[in-house]
Amino acid sequence: MAEFFQLSPSDRLDALDAAANLSGIPPHLLEKDIWVVWTLRHLFAGPYADNLVFKGGTSLSKAYGVIRRFSEDVDLTYDIRAIASDLVSDADAPLPTSKSQEKKWSKEIRARLLDWVGAKIAPRLKHDLEQYDLPATVRAEGDKVFIDYAPLTTGTGYVAPAVMLEFGARSTGEPSEPRTIHCDAATYLQGVEFPTATPRVMRAERTFWEKTTAIHVFCAQGEFRGGDRFARHWHDVTRLDAAGFADAAIADKALAHAVAEHKSVFFAEKNAHGEVIDYHAAVAGGLQLVPDDGALAKLATDYQHMVDDGLFLDDAEPFEDLMERCRAIQQKANAI
């Protein structure tokens, strides 16, 4: 069986086109997905894999099969107990006990994380790319690593030909579990061998609370600090609900409290009026998932960008229907 990256560029393009015709997924998304899985394979084959957790929307798509949209970036947590064992000691829930201590921890952890990413992650990925003579380069920018590959095909430009790895190190990443993931194209081309990976993945129940509290902050502030490409969170939450993970997460009060506590300490935010956002109140009956008019228009625009570039692997539901589903989840969470 031919290995994908051992094929000639023209044969790789033919393989992508064939998989695209069979799957209905645009070839530029299939190509990026292959690079995502290749990257995860090499990350979790490294000496630091035991302390690394794969999380976020891409984990929901690749590890749990919950969402039917293309998720292009890779979010990872490096266990705070590994990078800052001298600060957290043996705490099961390693959190600073004061604001001043949080600032000290965050500053020190960020410095260590930047060193670790630049000294360990980027050079190892660069070595692996060169070893296999793959058409890509590696660059580190702060706590992010980018694998820029030479694309065989392109879309509208909304999805860049680069895999972004974004690292954090202020949590344990728990609860998590190992999950095997495959390339989307592998389902449609039996004669080509594609990369596989078995990363340790944050449990979907925690991802539900991570995403809903991020949405809650957006609703309170009227904007998303990460720039555009934020509509994915609303889509993901509705798919978590459809798969049953929302009900399980809502019923797990200890998990909801743990997420609220962690975000209250490390990710304190203020609303549009300058008032501190209460995460504990959000997970205990005060969750907001549907923004007000001005922010709603921004959300609708970003959602349409996702639709236009084919990021939804099934027919995209109308934006109004998506908001109705989110409103129902909001009511369910707040009723509990």
XYZ file of all heavy atoms in Angstrom, residues 99-139:
344
model
N -4.482 36.576 43.872
C -4.265 37.228 42.584
C -2.782 37.460 42.330
O -2.301 37.282 41.205
C -5.019 38.562 42.549
C -4.971 39.256 41.193
C -5.641 38.426 40.109
C -5.628 39.127 38.766
N -6.203 38.293 37.696
N -2.064 37.838 43.364
C -0.633 38.076 43.190
C 0.096 36.773 42.853
O 1.015 36.760 42.025
C -0.039 38.705 44.455
O -0.194 37.849 45.569
N -0.339 35.680 43.489
C 0.280 34.397 43.180
C -0.073 33.954 41.763
O 0.763 33.386 41.064
C -0.169 33.348 44.193
C 0.604 32.025 44.063
C 0.170 30.997 45.080
O -0.975 30.549 45.046
N 1.070 30.623 45.986
N -1.309 34.247 41.336
C -1.701 33.904 39.965
C -0.820 34.628 38.962
O -0.373 34.046 37.964
C -3.174 34.275 39.739
C -3.706 33.929 38.347
C -3.455 35.011 37.321
O -3.595 36.197 37.683
O -3.097 34.687 36.169
N -0.553 35.899 39.197
C 0.305 36.660 38.281
C 1.710 36.085 38.248
O 2.332 35.969 37.182
C 0.341 38.131 38.700
C -0.977 38.868 38.464
C -0.862 40.331 38.871
C -2.162 41.082 38.589
N -2.081 42.504 38.980
N 2.212 35.697 39.426
C 3.551 35.113 39.499
C 3.595 33.789 38.747
O 4.509 33.547 37.949
C 3.946 34.897 40.958
C 5.296 34.195 41.138
C 5.580 33.929 42.608
C 6.879 33.138 42.763
N 7.156 32.825 44.191
N 2.601 32.927 38.998
C 2.543 31.642 38.309
C 2.432 31.828 36.801
O 3.163 31.197 36.035
C 1.341 30.837 38.807
C 1.500 30.174 40.131
C 2.328 30.541 41.155
C 0.801 29.013 40.586
N 2.173 29.701 42.223
C 1.241 28.753 41.905
C -0.176 28.200 40.030
C 0.748 27.676 42.650
C -0.680 27.135 40.761
C -0.217 26.872 42.060
N 1.508 32.674 36.380
C 1.267 32.865 34.949
C 2.517 33.381 34.245
O 2.858 32.922 33.140
C 0.096 33.824 34.727
O -1.117 33.249 35.173
N 3.197 34.326 34.864
C 4.418 34.878 34.263
C 5.491 33.814 34.145
O 6.142 33.671 33.089
C 4.916 36.051 35.099
C 6.176 36.708 34.538
C 6.611 37.881 35.405
C 7.877 38.528 34.851
N 8.318 39.681 35.690
N 5.676 33.037 35.200
C 6.721 32.021 35.203
C 6.381 30.882 34.241
O 7.239 30.406 33.494
C 6.907 31.475 36.616
C 8.018 30.442 36.756
C 9.395 30.973 36.406
O 9.616 32.199 36.532
O 10.250 30.169 35.967
N 5.121 30.461 34.260
C 4.706 29.362 33.384
C 4.820 29.765 31.922
O 5.275 28.977 31.082
C 3.267 28.918 33.723
C 3.258 28.174 35.067
C 2.684 28.039 32.620
C 1.873 27.926 35.609
N 4.424 30.993 31.607
C 4.519 31.443 30.214
C 5.978 31.463 29.759
O 6.292 31.037 28.637
C 3.900 32.827 30.045
C 4.067 33.362 28.622
C 3.153 34.525 28.315
N 3.407 35.046 26.986
C 3.012 34.485 25.852
N 2.349 33.347 25.890
N 3.274 35.045 24.688
N 6.872 31.943 30.600
C 8.292 31.976 30.236
C 8.815 30.564 29.985
O 9.541 30.310 29.009
C 9.096 32.663 31.336
N 8.436 29.643 30.868
C 8.895 28.258 30.702
C 8.281 27.624 29.458
O 8.940 26.859 28.746
C 8.538 27.436 31.941
C 9.250 27.889 33.204
C 8.858 27.021 34.393
N 9.342 27.576 35.643
C 9.218 26.984 36.831
N 8.617 25.799 36.911
N 9.682 27.559 37.923
N 7.007 27.940 29.202
C 6.331 27.368 28.045
C 6.972 27.842 26.743
O 7.192 27.055 25.825
C 4.843 27.741 28.066
C 3.984 27.161 26.945
C 3.908 25.645 27.047
C 2.577 27.764 26.969
N 7.288 29.128 26.672
C 7.936 29.667 25.474
C 9.276 28.981 25.238
O 9.619 28.639 24.095
C 8.125 31.173 25.604
C 6.851 32.023 25.689
C 7.197 33.498 25.755
C 5.941 31.752 24.505
N 10.048 28.777 26.317
C 11.335 28.086 26.194
C 11.140 26.650 25.714
O 11.869 26.162 24.845
C 12.072 28.089 27.534
C 12.606 29.464 27.902
O 12.691 30.326 27.003
O 12.922 29.680 29.088
N 10.143 25.991 26.297
C 9.883 24.584 25.958
C 9.436 24.439 24.507
O 9.925 23.563 23.779
C 8.821 24.039 26.914
C 8.426 22.625 26.664
C 9.147 21.498 26.952
C 7.196 22.166 26.091
N 8.442 20.375 26.592
C 7.242 20.756 26.064
C 6.052 22.826 25.619
C 6.187 19.988 25.567
C 5.008 22.060 25.124
C 5.087 20.661 25.103
N 8.525 25.309 24.073
C 8.054 25.262 22.688
C 9.203 25.505 21.718
O 9.357 24.796 20.714
C 6.927 26.295 22.469
C 6.656 26.499 20.976
C 5.648 25.853 23.170
N 10.019 26.519 22.014
C 11.114 26.863 21.116
C 12.258 25.868 21.126
O 12.896 25.635 20.090
N 12.518 25.250 22.289
C 13.672 24.354 22.416
C 13.337 22.890 22.161
O 14.215 22.115 21.767
C 14.282 24.499 23.814
N 12.081 22.490 22.400
C 11.721 21.080 22.299
C 10.769 20.778 21.128
O 11.035 19.890 20.323
C 11.065 20.614 23.604
C 11.944 20.784 24.842
C 13.150 19.887 24.804
C 13.957 19.997 26.097
N 15.171 19.151 26.078
N 9.662 21.513 21.068
C 8.622 21.173 20.099
C 9.033 21.512 18.666
O 9.020 20.656 17.777
C 7.306 21.888 20.450
C 6.781 21.420 21.803
C 6.259 21.628 19.360
C 6.387 19.964 21.834
N 9.376 22.778 18.434
C 9.695 23.200 17.067
C 10.877 22.427 16.478
O 10.788 21.943 15.336
C 9.947 24.706 17.035
N 11.991 22.270 17.210
C 13.117 21.527 16.621
C 12.782 20.071 16.315
O 13.231 19.529 15.304
C 14.200 21.623 17.702
C 13.860 22.846 18.475
C 12.373 22.877 18.504
N 11.981 19.431 17.179
C 11.643 18.024 16.924
C 10.774 17.886 15.671
O 10.998 17.005 14.841
C 10.935 17.420 18.135
C 10.628 15.941 17.953
C 9.977 15.317 19.168
N 9.706 13.908 18.929
C 10.575 12.921 19.134
N 11.793 13.205 19.614
N 10.253 11.665 18.882
N 9.792 18.757 15.525
C 8.948 18.699 14.331
C 9.755 19.016 13.071
O 9.559 18.399 12.020
C 7.778 19.670 14.473
C 6.705 19.260 15.494
C 5.704 20.398 15.687
C 5.986 17.986 15.062
N 10.653 19.979 13.193
C 11.520 20.323 12.060
C 12.371 19.114 11.657
O 12.503 18.795 10.466
C 12.419 21.503 12.427
C 13.349 21.977 11.315
C 14.101 23.230 11.763
C 14.968 23.780 10.624
N 16.083 22.861 10.286
N 12.919 18.428 12.641
C 13.723 17.229 12.374
C 12.896 16.158 11.672
O 13.345 15.531 10.701
C 14.277 16.682 13.699
C 14.937 15.332 13.555
N 14.229 14.149 13.714
C 16.218 14.977 13.253
C 15.055 13.131 13.529
N 16.259 13.602 13.246
N 11.669 15.938 12.137
C 10.824 14.902 11.543
C 10.437 15.247 10.110
O 10.397 14.364 9.241
C 9.570 14.702 12.394
C 9.878 14.044 13.723
O 11.008 13.542 13.889
O 8.997 14.038 14.608
N 10.149 16.511 9.846
C 9.827 16.920 8.481
C 11.015 16.698 7.544
O 10.860 16.208 6.423
C 9.414 18.394 8.455
C 8.046 18.736 9.033
C 7.902 20.242 9.181
C 6.926 18.181 8.155
N 12.199 17.063 8.024
C 13.400 16.897 7.203
C 13.736 15.426 7.006
O 14.163 15.008 5.927
C 14.573 17.640 7.841
C 14.410 19.157 7.824
C 15.505 19.873 8.583
O 16.254 19.193 9.331
O 15.614 21.106 8.441
N 13.531 14.626 8.050
C 13.829 13.197 7.962
C 12.999 12.521 6.881
O 13.488 11.643 6.168
C 13.573 12.536 9.314
C 13.856 11.037 9.333
C 13.569 10.412 10.689
O 13.154 11.082 11.619
N 13.800 9.112 10.793
N 11.744 12.939 6.772
C 10.863 12.337 5.771
C 10.778 13.161 4.488
O 9.982 12.849 3.599
C 9.464 12.148 6.367
C 9.437 11.134 7.496
C 9.526 11.544 8.817
C 9.361 9.771 7.227
C 9.516 10.607 9.862
C 9.351 8.835 8.255
C 9.426 9.263 9.568
O 9.423 8.340 10.593
N 11.588 14.214 4.414
C 11.664 15.062 3.221
C 10.286 15.559 2.801
O 9.873 15.437 1.642
C 12.326 14.295 2.069
C 12.727 15.224 0.913
O 12.983 16.414 1.182
O 12.780 14.753 -0.238
N 9.554 16.131 3.767
C 8.199 16.597 3.508
C 8.198 18.090 3.150
O 9.025 18.856 3.648
C 7.319 16.358 4.733
C 7.173 14.888 5.136
C 6.195 14.758 6.295
C 6.706 14.035 3.961
N 7.258 18.506 2.299
C 7.239 19.891 1.806
C 6.605 20.866 2.796
O 5.533 21.421 2.567
C 6.401 19.769 0.528
C 5.438 18.664 0.832
C 6.202 17.677 1.664
N 7.287 21.078 3.903
C 6.760 21.968 4.930
C 7.899 22.519 5.771
O 8.988 21.942 5.833
C 5.759 21.229 5.815
N 7.640 23.646 6.408
C 8.611 24.259 7.308
C 7.941 24.522 8.659
O 6.715 24.522 8.768
C 9.153 25.580 6.745
O 8.044 26.481 6.519
C 9.892 25.348 5.435
N 8.754 24.752 9.670
C 8.256 24.983 11.025
C 8.711 26.349 11.505
O 9.858 26.754 11.287
C 8.778 23.907 12.005
C 8.310 24.201 13.431
C 8.302 22.536 11.575
N 7.788 27.066 12.151
C 8.157 28.323 12.795
C 7.445 28.415 14.139
O 6.306 27.985 14.283
C 7.819 29.532 11.919
C 6.361 29.616 11.498
C 6.120 30.716 10.469
N 4.799 30.595 9.868
C 3.718 31.245 10.288
N 3.819 32.107 11.315
N 2.556 31.080 9.698
